[in-house]
Amino acid sequence: MSAPRVGVLALQGDTREHIAALHEAGASAVPVRRRDELDAVDALVIPGGESTTMSHLLRDLDLLEPLRKRLADGLPAYGACAGMILLASEILDAGSAGREALPLGGIDMTVRRNAFGRQVDSFEGDLEFFGLDDPVHAVFIRAPWVERCGPDVQVLARAAGHVVAVRQGPVLATAFHPEMTGDRRIHRLFVDIVIGAA
């Protein structure tokens, strides 16, 4: 198979870093801001950023329902930090009415926003990650955690006793930012998922 075409939702957040990481992991990576761009990709990465702002922009740009539909139809997706929040089926502390984070329903899980605390509580650490031989160096910035996993959700990593990486079918999510380190194993894992789904 030729390199899969992976979109990176380019509304806010670490778009450039994810595009670079995906290229290094063997994908053809492109920014996604419009409906026709979403329709043209084999998979989508939802980067970190501000989940309420990203939800607002998804709705304003008429991408929210098309993205929900593509996920329901089996679109492979990977969400980091805010991306994990948006891929959930339920979000705790979602924000104020009219400015709340809106779940896309890609993974049957309940996620708590900013669970590890505010920006000043950001931290880094090495985590055992299921399927990888060596620990992953994880960067957590105003990170969420998973409070509930559905029966089909596989837990891939924990930090301080909390679930911080999961997979359900072709959808992967981490509470941390692998694009901020030189380690491309999680992006490579996602590219392998995309190729397998094709």
Side-chain angles (χ1 to χ4, degrees), residues 97-117:
R99 290 292 302 176
E100 70 271 28
L102 302 170
L104 295 168
I107 297 178
D108 179 13
M109 64 179 175
T110 302
V111 171
R112 183 174 295 279
R113 286 177 72 234
N114 303 335
F116 283 104

Side-chain angles (χ1 to χ4, degrees), residues 77-156:
Y78 166 51
C81 196
M84 170 184 257
I85 294 166
L86 295 179
L87 283 172
S89 53
E90 181 185 18
I91 302 168
L92 303 177
D93 300 329
S96 56
R99 290 292 302 176
E100 70 271 28
L102 302 170
L104 295 168
I107 297 178
D108 179 13
M109 64 179 175
T110 302
V111 171
R112 183 174 295 279
R113 286 177 72 234
N114 303 335
F116 283 104
R118 303 165 66 85
Q119 194 86 15
V120 294
D121 301 309
S122 300
F123 66 99
E124 299 181 24
D126 291 337
L127 306 179
E128 296 295 330
F129 195 99
F130 180 82
L132 299 180
D133 292 338
D134 297 313
V136 168
H137 188 72
V139 178
F140 292 87
I141 302 170
R142 289 178 63 207
W145 66 48
V146 179
E147 296 221 343
R148 178 198 62 85
C149 290
D152 298 324
V153 177
Q154 179 185 22
V155 174
L156 302 176

